Amino acid sequence: MTDTPGPGEIDLDYITPINDRLRAMAPPVTRELTRREADTLLRSYLEPPCFPDAVRRLAERHLLVLVGQEETGKRLGALALLSRMSLAEGTITVLPPGRSAAELLSRTEYAPGRAYLLYDWIIAGTDRTELINLARKLAELGSYLVVTRNGAPSRAVEVEQAWGAPDPGELFDLCLSTYDLRAGLAPEVLAGARDRALTLTTPAQVVRLAAGLGPIELPAAGRTRPQPVLAELRGRPRP
């Protein structure tokens, strides 16, 4: 990874929950996420136990729908999966969440060798035939699409992947190391914070706990922050 933030910088925007109503109000437009921005977002990413199997299945099928409870890291997991694929173009195209399975199959234009992401799918399609046909279409182009949605798996088991959160203790340790947050903190403070992390139920809570242990530095001039990037992807103006 290159052009990542300096010590102390930490991404907090991706873990801000947005309810379904706000998601539905997002404009139906396609946006782009550069590889540099994706690498920045993934700097402190910890792969959950299901990740290796998901990489294998995406490589084989070219389409994968990550299914699970809210705030289990599906959005960053989708980015991490796409970053593992061999692509002709590093930019990730983010599709609007309001498209149906039929629209993704017949009314969406895909370029060869590209990566596509559809997060927080609003009109979740469970039509097995449509999703399998979409996977075949993407495979013919050598392109990949990862979709995230909340809920339980459907009948389209060939292209769905049950998703879960990473180990909270390991994620906490990774955040401390990645953002150099241990400096100046007493061992008992770190131990108490880690014990607290083990009781938290979502990756978002763990990252916020770790971020609260140290100062958050502003980025150097010219360096892209992930917060405005994802704000724009969600249809909100950059500050």
Side-chain angles (χ1 to χ4, degrees):
M1 297 181 185
T2 60
D3 289 313
T4 52
E9 262 182 66
I10 193 166
D11 167 35
L12 295 179
D13 185 72
Y14 85 88
I15 57 178
T16 302
I18 302 177
N19 61 39
D20 289 340
R21 183 174 180 180
L22 289 178
R23 294 190 187 106
M25 292 170 62
V29 296
T30 297
R31 301 181 185 272
E32 301 293 330
L33 182 68
T34 68
R35 185 56 182 266
R36 175 182 174 180
E37 291 165 341
D39 284 350
T40 299
L41 290 167
L42 294 172
R43 188 177 179 219
S44 61
Y45 181 70
L46 179 65
E47 298 171 0
C50 58
F51 192 84
D53 186 49
V55 171
R56 177 188 60 80
R57 297 187 67 208
L58 177 60
E60 292 176 354
R61 286 288 185 175
H62 291 256
L63 168 65
L64 199 61
V65 182
L66 309 186
V67 183
Q69 297 179 353
E70 290 189 53
E71 297 187 58
T72 53
K74 295 188 296 295
R75 194 176 296 145
L76 277 186
L79 285 177
L81 288 170
L82 289 171
S83 72
R84 291 292 194 92
M85 300 298 107
S86 297
L87 300 166
E89 168 61 50
T91 300
I92 296 174
T93 300
V94 183
L95 302 174
R99 293 188 183 180
S100 66
E103 289 173 325
L104 290 172
L105 175 61
S106 304
R107 301 179 188 176
T108 302
E109 184 175 346
Y110 302 96
R114 293 290 302 269
Y116 296 87
L117 167 64
L118 192 158
Y119 63 87
D120 302 335
W121 202 5
I122 296 173
I123 309 176
T126 57
D127 187 292
R128 177 175 174 272
T129 301
E130 285 182 333
L131 292 174
I132 290 177
N133 287 338
L134 175 58
R136 290 171 178 164
K137 179 178 181 177
L138 291 163
E140 291 175 357
L141 293 169
S143 296
Y144 299 88
L145 168 62
V146 179
V147 178
T148 73
R149 72 170 177 86
N150 299 324
S154 71
R155 294 173 298 171
V157 294
E158 295 89 345
V159 296
E160 289 191 341
Q161 174 76 44
W163 202 254
D167 179 86
E170 293 181 9
L171 178 58
F172 180 80
D173 293 339
L174 177 61
C175 288
L176 294 186
S177 299
T178 301
Y179 300 105
D180 194 22
L181 297 175
R182 289 189 175 91
L185 294 176
E188 58 270 22
V189 173
L190 291 173
R194 194 180 194 281
D195 289 342
R196 168 63 176 158
L198 296 176
T199 69
L200 301 178
T201 58
T202 71
Q205 295 170 332
V206 176
V207 174
R208 288 193 182 280
L209 173 63
L213 296 177
I216 305 302
E217 298 180 2
L218 294 175
R223 185 175 286 159
T224 301
R225 287 188 73 99
Q227 288 92 333
V229 171
L230 282 198
E232 182 173 299
L233 290 179
R234 290 169 178 163
R236 290 178 281 146
R238 294 190 182 199

